[in-house]
Amino acid sequence: MKSPSKAARAILWLTVFVAVTAGMVAIRDQLDRIYVTLVYLLVVQLASAQVGRAVGVTLAVLSFLAVNFFFLPSYGTLSVADPLDWLVLVAFLITSVVSAQLLYRARALGAERERLSAAARRADSLELSNRMKDETLAMVSHDLRTPLTTIKGLAHEIADSGDERAEVIEEEADRLNAFVGKLLDLSRVTMGTAALDIQPNEAEDLLGAASQQAQGFGRELALHVEPSDTMLFGRFDFVQSLRVLVNLIDNAAKYSPQGTTIDVGARRVGDELHFWVADRGAGIGDEDRDRIFEPFYRRRDGNVDIAGTGLGLAIAKGIAEAQGGALTFTARDGGGSVFTLAVPAIDLTGGGLSIDERAE
Amino acid sequence: MNPSSDDVVLVIDDEPQIRRVVRNAMNAGGGIARVIEASNGRAGIDAAAAERPSLVVLDLGLPDMEGAEVCRAIRSWSAVPIIVLSARGSVQEKAALLDAGADDYIAKPFSTIELQARVRAQLRRARLAPAASQTHVVEVDGATIDLATPAIRRDGTVVRLTKTEWQLLRTLMQNAGRTMTHRQLFAAVWGNSYGDAQQYLRVHVRSIRRKIERDPVRPRLIVTEPGVGYRFQMEP
């Protein structure tokens, strides 16, 4: 009712009501009462549909009074001679109020549908542009990786024939490939086009895969599953979560002294499943804590010889959040860092597993 | 066991430079008698039929056909090992190609050493496959598994499996060395009912690992292929 155009429309319908009343009063003698009530009903319904419920009900009451005052004997009073006319009036009032309500609701539904379909159109075009971006990225990666394959292959042949410099070419091609891969990942995560495959997954399965991929890092991993006698299930993307975990283990290996153990574990905490990686490195200074998850940020206390792009943690955080989880840092008791990937936990439903679970 | 000197490898790739890299890798890898080349999917399928190669290296992104189509076409009459090369390297693509009948999948840029190792592994597996389906008793990493009885001993102790676990283990072992996709495992163990089977598969894999692996958190027999499936390793 507050918007000027709505107020203007309400005034318009009141004017229509007055005009219709005046017109019908002028020809009152030739007019059957049925027609009068039908005309008012029409006005009430149109006003409800166009302006809203409040105006509709107001006009219904006004129509009731007008019929009573102008068109029922005795004219010019609100008294009713024939008791049956009361019935007509009450029925009229109920009809007009109910129809005003129904029209208003239909209008609201129509507006909602309009709003939803507009939202759907926006989502469609957003999805289209996301898909185009993703296809462009896929093309870039294809156009880059095919020549890199040739470069690596030929470098290998040259190295085989005795030129050691060719090994450097192969290594650098790998570095370039890894870097481009990370840039593509970062843009997918930041553009929100990273396609996630979120499913019920089991914690030990992820820890096992992570320890397998971390074999080349040259560190002892201690794996912890808590509690160890129940299955820990979460809802997450296995491949992406594995990348996050392996990245955290890689960082731990880089930033902690040789010969120290890296602890990796899974733990159920409330309705979350936590995967954590803890090292005995120098930890992270207060001035760096807020910034370590920013793209291209390298720790100030970090060793300059440590190879890295400064993208790993930014990508990891993006992946964690995209699957409804979080990635956090905490200082470790007794020195070192703990990084925790949290994902939604799920409880196993017992059904379906009991069909033939008797051991033979 | 090394590739024998009469092994023929078919390379299907539209990029002449990649064909050259693969050809040289095969020749240097020792003992591949002949490398045949095809520059599109159609010619590749024809060559696979005419030359009966011992192994196919198939690059995706061919100008005329989808890689999965080429896989399915060759697979419809031949059990020849197919190794797929792809620049995309997504697990979805990998799973789709394994479902279409490919045996292995290598992301570009690959190292020559890795390609040679994968080719050797596939040739060895193909040669052992007929024998493997005959043998019932397998001894691996301290576990003796007899698929006929069926019975398992881990370090002398008898291990009991449920029916579903046996079915799953049997499927993995009969395809030892090959990654079985989630979909293929569902089809073999539960029929084709998808859906909740996702969760059950993970439950059962964990439960088998707890029974047969030395350290179930660091499995050496049933290895996870992230996002794709599981693989039984005969030589952990």
Side-chain angles (χ1 to χ4, degrees):
Chain A
M1 287 288 100
K2 296 237 160 51
S3 78
S5 70
K6 210 169 182 182
R9 272 180 288 150
I11 289 166
L12 174 77
W13 280 105
L14 276 173
T15 314
V16 168
F17 170 81
V18 171
V20 161
T21 305
M24 289 196 299
V25 167
I27 53 164
R28 182 163 59 188
D29 295 339
Q30 295 103 51
L31 219 53
D32 194 293
R33 271 203 321 259
I34 293 295
Y35 297 122
V36 175
T37 54
L38 280 178
V39 167
Y40 278 129
L41 208 53
L42 200 64
V43 171
V44 168
Q45 289 186 349
L46 289 174
S48 315
Q50 251 226 323
V51 193
R53 185 170 37 181
V55 169
V57 172
T58 308
L59 283 177
V61 173
L62 285 176
S63 302
F64 169 83
L65 295 173
V67 169
N68 191 334
F69 193 81
F70 295 113
F71 300 101
L72 290 184
S74 52
Y75 300 139
T77 68
L78 283 174
S79 69
V80 180
D82 185 349
L84 273 178
D85 283 335
W86 275 115
L87 197 66
V88 174
L89 276 171
V90 171
F92 173 64
L93 184 61
I94 290 169
T95 311
S96 52
V97 169
V98 168
S99 64
Q101 285 278 14
L102 286 176
L103 276 165
Y104 171 77
R105 206 172 299 161
R107 234 170 64 87
L109 281 175
E112 178 65 9
R113 197 171 304 136
E114 178 63 26
R115 198 183 61 75
L116 284 177
S117 77
R121 277 198 300 277
R122 272 200 305 279
D124 273 357
S125 73
L126 201 66
E127 196 193 325
L128 182 71
S129 92
N130 272 348
R131 215 169 44 228
M132 278 171 63
K133 281 181 204 158
D134 211 41
E135 274 165 19
T136 311
L137 289 179
M139 247 166 58
V140 168
S141 87
H142 177 269
D143 289 351
L144 203 111
R145 282 175 176 149
T146 299
L148 274 178
T149 308
T150 311
I151 292 170
K152 274 188 66 164
L154 294 181
H156 186 84
E157 286 173 30
I158 297 168
D160 268 358
S161 65
D163 192 335
E164 285 171 11
R165 289 174 300 174
E167 283 171 23
V168 181
I169 298 177
E170 211 178 337
E171 283 164 20
E172 293 298 301
D174 282 336
R175 254 181 75 178
L176 183 58
N177 180 52
F179 184 65
V180 170
K182 279 188 176 168
L183 273 183
L184 293 173
D185 286 337
L186 182 70
S187 47
R188 282 203 184 97
V189 167
T190 53
M191 289 190 320
T193 62
L196 293 174
D197 180 20
I198 294 174
Q199 283 187 18
N201 281 300
E202 196 260 319
E204 270 186 26
D205 208 2
L206 186 67
L207 287 188
S211 84
Q212 171 128 12
Q213 291 201 1
Q215 269 171 11
F217 299 170
R219 282 309 180 81
E220 195 66 41
L221 292 190
L223 302 179
H224 312 265
V225 181
E226 303 158 78
S228 63
D229 54 342
T230 45
M231 285 198 207
L232 299 177
F233 261 85
R235 195 170 284 287
F236 55 91
D237 182 314
F238 192 91
V239 174
Q240 299 301 333
S241 301
L242 176 61
R243 289 187 42 199
V244 172
L245 217 49
V246 170
N247 182 263
L248 294 177
I249 298 170
D250 188 26
N251 280 349
K254 279 177 187 161
Y255 289 97
S256 63
Q258 284 291 334
T260 56
T261 301
I262 297 166
D263 291 280
V264 183
R267 183 193 301 136
R268 173 79 185 249
V269 180
D271 54 2
E272 287 183 339
L273 180 58
H274 287 186
F275 294 99
W276 52 272
V277 176
D279 64 49
R280 287 290 177 203
I284 293 169
D286 287 338
E287 73 279 11
D288 279 327
R289 280 184 195 180
D290 296 334
R291 303 195 57 197
I292 48 172
F293 295 109
E294 291 173 14
F296 299 107
Y297 187 74
R298 304 289 308 278
R299 296 181 204 178
R300 253 168 292 173
D301 55 1
N303 184 337
V304 284
D305 288 338
I306 294 171
T309 53
L311 290 176
L313 282 178
I315 296 169
K317 193 175 170 64
I319 290 170
E321 287 169 1
Q323 56 185 355
L327 181 65
T328 51
F329 164 82
T330 41
R332 190 180 189 186
D333 284 344
S337 306
V338 185
F339 282 91
T340 305
L341 167 69
V343 296
I346 47 174
D347 293 303
L348 268 191
T349 49
L353 289 176
S354 53
I355 306 163
D356 60 10
E357 293 317 296
R358 284 173 299 106
E360 284 161 20
Chain B
M1 206 181 297
N2 284 316
S4 70
S5 54
D6 51 356
D7 279 326
V8 174
V9 171
L10 166 63
V11 184
I12 309 175
D13 198 317
D14 61 320
E15 299 266 346
Q17 294 303 336
I18 305 277
R19 286 206 300 272
R20 180 198 152 142
V21 166
V22 175
R23 185 179 62 227
N24 289 347
M26 294 301 99
N27 291 334
I32 299 287
R34 202 151 59 92
V35 177
I36 7 173
E37 297 177 22
S39 61
N40 61 58
R42 197 66 260 162
I45 294 170
D46 290 346
E51 306 273 351
R52 300 275 159 171
S54 352
L55 183 135
V56 175
V57 176
L58 167 66
D59 198 342
L60 301 185
L62 295 170
D64 61 333
M65 283 173 86
E66 292 284 331
E69 244 183 292
V70 180
C71 265
R72 269 191 291 269
I74 295 176
R75 198 46 87 231
S76 66
W77 80 83
S78 165
V80 60
I82 302 174
I83 297 179
V84 165
L85 306 178
S86 171
R88 192 177 284 258
S90 79
V91 291
Q92 287 85 353
E93 187 185 61
K94 183 172 181 174
L97 278 144
L98 294 182
D99 279 338
D103 295 274
D104 202 356
Y105 177 103
I106 306 178
K108 288 199 263 184
F110 51 83
S111 85
T112 302
I113 291 170
E114 189 190 356
L115 177 65
Q116 289 167 338
R118 306 272 196 112
V119 166
R120 272 199 299 275
Q122 287 304 329
L123 286 174
R124 187 169 55 230
R125 210 177 63 76
R127 220 166 281 132
L128 291 177
S133 62
Q134 306 291 315
T135 50
H136 297 300
V137 185
V138 174
E139 285 195 57
V140 62
D141 198 34
T144 309
I145 305 171
D146 183 348
L147 284 177
T149 319
I152 296 180
R153 280 174 177 277
R154 143 75 52 209
D155 302 324
T157 315
V158 175
V159 177
R160 300 203 170 277
L161 296 191
T162 67
K163 240 181 200 156
T164 306
E165 288 166 3
W166 269 117
Q167 186 70 34
L168 189 53
L169 183 62
R170 185 176 290 122
T171 307
L172 285 165
M173 286 180 65
Q174 282 166 349
N175 294 279
R178 182 176 192 275
T179 299
M180 296 295 286
T181 66
H182 296 136
R183 192 179 285 273
Q184 288 167 336
L185 290 170
F186 297 145
V189 180
W190 284 274
N192 274 314
S193 64
Y194 214 64
D196 282 349
Q198 303 259 22
Q199 193 166 314
Y200 303 154
L201 178 62
R202 284 162 178 88
V203 169
H204 288 295
V205 166
R206 178 190 185 267
S207 150
I208 300 175
R209 278 176 175 162
R210 290 232 156 183
K211 291 176 181 176
I212 68 169
E213 298 278 0
R214 231 178 250 292
D215 179 356
V217 194
R218 295 176 208 259
R220 287 157 58 83
L221 301 178
I222 301 178
V223 177
T224 301
E225 184 70 33
V228 179
Y230 296 95
R231 185 176 65 247
F232 191 87
Q233 305 252 87
M234 277 297 189
E235 299 141 15

